[in-house]
Amino acid sequence: MGTTDVLRSSIHHSQDRLVDRLADARSMEAPPDRPREGHARIDAFLSSASKHLHAVDEVLLQPTRRGVPDGGPLVHDYLRSVKDLEVVLAHVKAHEYGSVYETSFSWPEVWGDVEHAMTDHHRHEAVLGDRLSDTLDDEELQDLAQRLYSAELAAPSRPHPYTPHTGLFGAVARKVMHTADRFWDTVEGRMVPEPVPPPKKKPGLVAQYFLADPRFDEEERRPRP
């Protein structure tokens, strides 16, 4: 069992960032002289969410299935949740660019579906992080957090709910879709923000000494009676 919360913190940080990007996308009224500004906020949300979902598929599902008690059912439930969210995100992309199949839906309906699906996904993703943190040691958790960040850098920037999510076929699909998405992002001029690096491990006492940067717990800072 690990003593670090680095994986939990990384997941929660990513979730908070996506919630903020969703709020920005929902308030998408663009000034008349900058009509693309609203699209940019939607694109930023879609690309950030898609990259994170693909990265979780690549990095967290296999360790959960193999190393966590009842990992198989946990992964099964997570995959159902992530596919539901990806389907809704695909509808956002279609709605943004005026698909004829989206004319019967309003933006408030679309964003309501996104919020509902994302809340469900965040709950399942948090369970993966909690169970892995309860099972793996600190070094393994640090490695997973770093791999999650690296995977986001090279992940597809669009939702692909009907491509394989796990195993060899999933890995191949992500590479192919990453190349295709980069091409279309360039053609369409989409905004694709880079993921935020995972939180760094706190330096130990020796490192603090050499860095001349001592850090004390709140209990140690309080004056004794």
Side-chain angles (χ1 to χ4, degrees):
M1 177 178 176
T3 61
T4 177
D5 280 337
V6 63
L7 182 60
R8 289 190 181 99
S9 296
S10 180
I11 290 173
H12 291 159
H13 184 70
S14 295
Q15 291 180 347
D16 289 343
R17 180 190 58 180
L18 293 180
V19 169
D20 290 341
R21 289 202 183 278
L22 174 59
D24 288 340
R26 295 181 81 158
S27 59
M28 60 181 187
E29 292 296 332
D33 58 334
R34 296 194 300 276
R36 279 288 303 171
E37 188 172 307
H39 286 291
R41 291 196 290 269
I42 297 174
D43 289 341
F45 165 67
L46 287 177
S47 58
S48 295
S50 299
K51 280 180 165 290
H52 180 67
L53 300 184
H54 289 299
V56 172
D57 288 347
E58 179 178 340
V59 176
L60 299 187
L61 298 190
Q62 183 175 338
T64 300
R65 179 177 282 136
R66 292 185 175 181
V68 173
D70 298 327
L74 289 177
V75 170
H76 178 271
D77 291 342
Y78 174 83
L79 287 173
R80 177 201 55 77
S81 178
V82 74
K83 288 180 180 179
D84 288 346
L85 177 55
E86 286 181 317
V87 167
V88 174
L89 295 179
H91 280 294
V92 173
K93 182 71 167 59
H95 204 78
E96 176 188 7
Y97 285 89
S99 170
V100 295
Y101 299 104
E102 298 291 325
T103 55
S104 60
F105 298 95
S106 66
W107 271 118
E109 290 178 291
V110 173
W111 291 129
D113 289 342
V114 172
E115 184 175 14
H116 176 78
M118 198 163 76
T119 299
D120 182 71
H121 168 267
H122 283 180
R123 180 173 61 85
H124 284 86
E125 183 184 23
V127 170
L128 296 185
D130 289 341
R131 298 296 293 276
L132 286 167
S133 297
D134 291 340
T135 304
L136 304 180
D137 60 33
D138 289 353
E139 185 175 348
E140 291 171 316
L141 293 172
Q142 290 281 352
D143 179 63
L144 283 182
Q146 183 57 50
R147 285 175 54 202
L148 196 60
Y149 167 68
S150 299
E152 282 197 46
L153 291 173
S157 58
R158 298 165 187 245
H160 299 285
Y162 303 113
T163 59
H165 284 62
T166 59
L168 177 61
F169 290 117
V172 172
R174 282 188 291 273
K175 289 183 179 180
V176 172
M177 293 300 100
H178 171 62
T179 301
D181 288 354
R182 285 186 62 185
F183 170 78
W184 286 112
D185 288 342
T186 301
V187 171
E188 296 176 357
R190 287 181 83 225
M191 177 184 176
V192 181
E194 289 194 356
V196 178
K200 294 183 179 180
K201 183 180 179 180
K202 294 181 180 179
L205 295 177
V206 175
Q208 292 179 36
Y209 172 80
F210 283 108
L211 292 172
D213 183 25
R215 304 178 185 186
F216 305 97
D217 293 335
E218 290 299 324
E219 291 294 333
E220 295 176 343
R221 292 177 180 174
R222 295 175 184 172
R224 295 181 179 179

